[in-house]
Amino acid sequence: MPLNVQFQIVIVSFLFAVIFMIIYDFFNRLLINKKGKLIRFILEIIFFLIMTLFYFIVMLKISYARLNIFILLFLLLGVLFYMFMLQHHFQVLYDGIFKYFKRK
């Protein structure tokens, strides 16, 4: 596998994990106080399937969907980067957004 393809896999996997966690955190905050665990479960499954399909299509375009260790490693690193570096900032932003819409 060429070096530029490996570099693209690393960057896309890392960024996808960060973007996925941002969207999932928002999704989770949106549905945190809603009743109906079955509906929430179904919505989460649909969300995960859509994100997985999107990631697979991107990997198909980059590397013909070849699996290597970089994919799992940088997905995990992206999630950890979000959790330890960005999560607090986005949660404050989400609180501000939801407070703004509650006032309206």
Side-chain angles (χ1 to χ4, degrees):
M1 184 178 309
L3 189 59
N4 64 348
V5 173
Q6 290 179 14
F7 186 68
Q8 289 173 359
I9 289 172
V10 165
I11 296 298
V12 167
S13 295
F14 183 80
L15 290 177
F16 178 79
V18 171
I19 292 169
F20 172 77
M21 287 303 293
I22 290 170
I23 296 170
Y24 179 69
D25 228 9
F26 180 76
F27 185 76
N28 194 25
R29 289 295 285 230
L30 188 64
L31 299 176
I32 194 85
N33 293 328
K34 304 292 184 210
K35 297 193 189 243
K37 294 186 188 263
L38 181 65
I39 293 172
R40 181 178 174 169
F41 180 68
I42 291 170
L43 289 174
E44 283 184 359
I45 287 177
I46 291 169
F47 174 74
F48 284 128
L49 288 175
I50 290 171
M51 294 302 281
T52 303
L53 179 65
F54 176 70
Y55 183 70
F56 180 76
I57 290 170
V58 170
M59 283 294 120
L60 188 64
K61 296 287 183 187
I62 292 175
S63 68
Y64 303 108
R66 289 189 205 128
L67 182 66
N68 60 22
I69 190 68
F70 298 123
I71 292 173
L72 298 175
L73 178 67
F74 278 91
L75 282 173
L76 179 66
L77 287 175
V79 168
L80 292 175
F81 177 77
Y82 173 78
M83 288 173 57
F84 292 117
M85 302 294 283
L86 301 174
Q87 187 175 22
H88 175 70
H89 302 294
F90 279 100
Q91 286 184 352
V92 169
L93 176 70
Y94 298 151
D95 283 339
I97 290 171
F98 288 124
K99 284 180 184 176
Y100 175 76
F101 283 117
K102 269 189 180 175
R103 283 185 275 159
K104 296 283 178 176

